[in-house]
Each structure stands twice: as structure tokens, then as C-alpha cells.
């Protein structure tokens, strides 16, 4: 399968409900434990996705669509959620993510993007020239990556508890 | 965190809704593509979880709790779902999984397991002696592993489409 906007859209619109079903109401032991220094807990994953809604996907798409003189994206802060999630609980983050995502998908839908527009390029500060099509495909893949990462950090809490089954569960040692 | 039955339970009861939120209504291109020969599509992952509800977790727990002369588990067929899912659509599988999981969690709850019972052992055909506690912890971790695997097989469909971002998304090359 290669990227089709309407297919990618169907994944983007499901992610808030997926994370709510997976995490809503779980205890802090499940959602606040991470995989070690500079890694994300389930809670951090949701905060990170919120930061992306605010600063990454749609703002970068606008830079590309504007085709101004400076098409260079702002750097992305992978740890912004440590600051931005402070004082919030997971329920608040899940609500915030769902609302921002819905607004951003409304924007994306309203653009009614053509193939010509999807081929327009911006400049990633480290990766160089990237197209709008690549940016939107990455938005989808990034969601799925963080769903997988959330499941992994939770699974690893039972790394010792599963005893010899660890040999059959590669997720424990990733 | 080390395994606590009530904490593990909260994850087990969420998995059907998580998969429904993630996959329900998606096109066949999303749910039927796998990662190559002898790998699972999203559809296969749900079928595999159904097979586990029928033949693995609760049946093995019964063998342990019975403490009969033969405590050796049946071998688990990792590819049973290819046969068992035939002619079914994803909506049917999601319903079937939700129903079986709810029944199995009713059974688990009704046992009101003590620490003494959680320490009882059975014999895995390949791994040898395993405790009921390890079996139940593995049930939880196995769910999370298949949520991660489902997200990964979907993400990989965009491996080429994301262009240079592939360098930032390790899920693409796992």
C-alpha cells in the first residue's frame, strides 16, 4: 500500500479513541512507569502526541502549502511534554489530544489537497527536503509508532513476572 | 511493578475495546497486509488472540489449578487462526474476541485466586515448570505485545512513503 490521504485519515481519526480505550482509568503504576532515563511512559506518549498536534504536523503542512521564501520547519522538541503535561492527569491529556486531533483533521479535510499540493516541499532542519505527502504519511506512522511504544512500555513492567515465557515475547527486550 | 492480579485484570479487560477502536471499520488494505511470509496482519492478530482465549490462558490455568497427575499443557498453534478465521470479517472477530474475553475474565474473577494458588505450577511443553502467576502475567504481556505488533504491521505499510523520516521511526525496521 502506498500513501492515500483518505486511508491515512482513517487511522489518524482513530488514535484518540484507541489511546482512551487502552489507557483510560488505568492506575498510575501502569501509565507513569517508563523504560529508563530519557524514555516515555504511557502518560508521556500522550503528552508527546499533544505537542505534535500543536507544533508539528499541521504547522509544518502550512509552511509547505504557503511556499514562502523560508520553508524551513521549527525544530521539534521531543521532551516538551515533560513541561506541558505538568499538573495534568491522564484523563485531561486524553481529552486535550482528542480535541486537538479533531480540529486538525477538520483543517486537513478543509484543504481538499490535490496531488500537486501533496508533492510540494518544505525543509526539515535535519532531514532536508521533504514533501507534504511524506509529512502526512509520517503523521500516520508516528501515531502507530506511539501506540506500539505505549503497549511496549506497559508490557515491560512484567518482564520478570512472566518467567521463562520471556523467550517467546520479543517485545520485552526491544 | 511486579504482577498484581487486579492490575493485570485492568489491562486484560481493555484489550477488546482497544482493538475495536484501533481497527473497527478500517479498509482491507490496512487490516489484511502482513510483514511477509509467516507473519501476522492486523486481522491475523485478532484471530490469534481469539485462539488464545479458547485454548491457551484459561484452559492452562485450569490444568494448573486441578493439580492432576498430568500437568503438561497442550502445544499452542500459532497459526490456528488462518483456519479458524476463514470466512469471517473483522467485525465478527472483534465481537467474538470481546465475548470470549468477557467470559474468561468472569471465570478468572470467580476463582478469587489466593497467593498459594498463584504459586501452583504446570508444565509447559517447551519451557518446563511455570507458575499460574507467570501464566497470568504472560496473558497480560501477550495482549500488549499483539497491540504493538498490530500497530507495527500497519505502520510498515508507509515505510517507503515517509521518505527520510524513516531514520526517526525505528518501528519501520523492527
Amino acid at each position: 500500500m502506498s500513501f492515500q490521504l483518505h486511508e491515512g485519515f482513517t487511522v489518524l481519526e482513530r488514535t484518540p479513541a484507541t489511546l482512551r480505550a487502552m489507557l483510560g482509568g488505568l492506575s498510575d503504576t501502569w501509565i507513569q512507569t517508563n523504560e529508563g532515563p530519557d524514555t516515555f511512559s504511557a502518560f508521556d506518549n500522550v503528552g508527546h502526541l499533544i505537542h505534535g498536534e500543536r507544533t508539528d504536523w499541521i504547522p509544518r503542512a502550512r509552511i509547505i502549502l504557503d511556499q514562502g521564501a523560508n520553508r524551513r520547519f521549527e525544530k521539534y522538541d521531543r521532551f516538551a511534554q515533560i513541561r506541558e503535561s505538568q499538573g495534568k492527569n491522564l484523563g485531561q491529556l486524553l481529552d486535550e489530544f482528542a480535541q486537538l486531533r479533531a480540529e486538525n483533521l477538520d483543517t486537513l479535510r478543509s484543504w481538499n489537497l490535490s496531488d500537486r499540493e501533496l508533492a510540494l516541499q518544505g525543509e526539515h532542519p535535519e532531514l532536508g527536503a521533504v514533501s507534504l505527502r511524506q509529512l502526512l504519511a509520517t503523521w500516520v506512522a508516528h501515531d502507530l509508532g506511539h501506540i506500539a511504544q505505549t503497549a511496549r512500555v506497559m508490557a515491560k513492567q512484567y518482564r520478570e513476572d512472566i518467567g521463562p515465557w520471556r523467550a517467546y515475547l520479543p517485545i520485552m527486550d526491544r
Side-chain angles (χ1 to χ4, degrees), chain A:
Chain A
M1 162 165 176
S2 81
F3 179 73
Q4 298 290 335
L5 188 51
H6 68 278
E7 290 283 348
F9 202 96
T10 61
V11 169
L12 291 173
E13 65 185 356
R14 278 164 174 73
T15 305
T18 301
L19 290 169
R20 194 185 293 278
M22 192 172 169
L23 303 176
L26 286 182
S27 68
D28 275 357
T29 16
W30 276 121
I31 63 167
Q32 294 288 6
T33 305
N34 64 21
E35 297 173 83
D38 291 342
T39 64
F40 288 5
S41 66
F43 184 85
D44 295 332
N45 272 281
V46 181
H48 171 76
L49 288 166
I50 288 172
H51 188 67
E53 295 305 301
R54 289 198 196 284
T55 68
D56 188 336
W57 314 107
I58 291 288
R60 288 179 170 188
R62 283 190 204 280
I63 290 171
I64 296 176
L65 287 169
D66 287 351
Q67 290 289 296
N70 179 9
R71 300 169 198 171
R72 196 179 170 96
F73 307 151
E74 294 287 319
K75 275 206 172 190
Y76 188 77
D77 180 359
R78 284 186 59 246
F79 292 94
Q81 69 278 356
I82 296 171
R83 188 175 66 248
E84 293 174 359
S85 300
Q86 228 156 33
K88 296 180 184 167
N89 63 40
L90 180 70
Q92 290 170 303
L93 294 191
L94 290 169
D95 289 346
E96 194 176 342
F97 177 51
Q99 192 190 327
L100 290 167
R101 173 58 58 92
E103 289 168 10
N104 284 334
L105 291 183
D106 281 348
T107 300
L108 178 61
R109 200 185 288 107
S110 75
W111 286 339
N112 198 16
L113 294 169
S114 65
D115 280 347
R116 190 195 58 80
E117 288 168 308
L118 287 169
L120 293 173
Q121 292 189 327
E123 190 195 340
H124 188 284
E126 281 152 10
L127 301 172
V130 288
S131 69
L132 180 54
R133 181 186 297 277
Q134 289 169 337
L135 174 73
L136 297 177
T138 304
W139 191 4
V140 176
H142 179 265
D143 268 23
L144 293 165
H146 283 285
I147 291 169
Q149 189 177 335
T150 299
R152 186 186 70 215
V153 60
M154 291 171 65
K156 281 189 179 170
Q157 296 196 42
Y158 283 174
R159 183 151 54 179
E160 307 304 326
D161 300 284
I162 65 174
W165 266 291
R166 184 164 167 180
Y168 290 177
L169 273 73
I171 197 171
M172 292 299 177
D173 297 284
R174 232 162 228 153

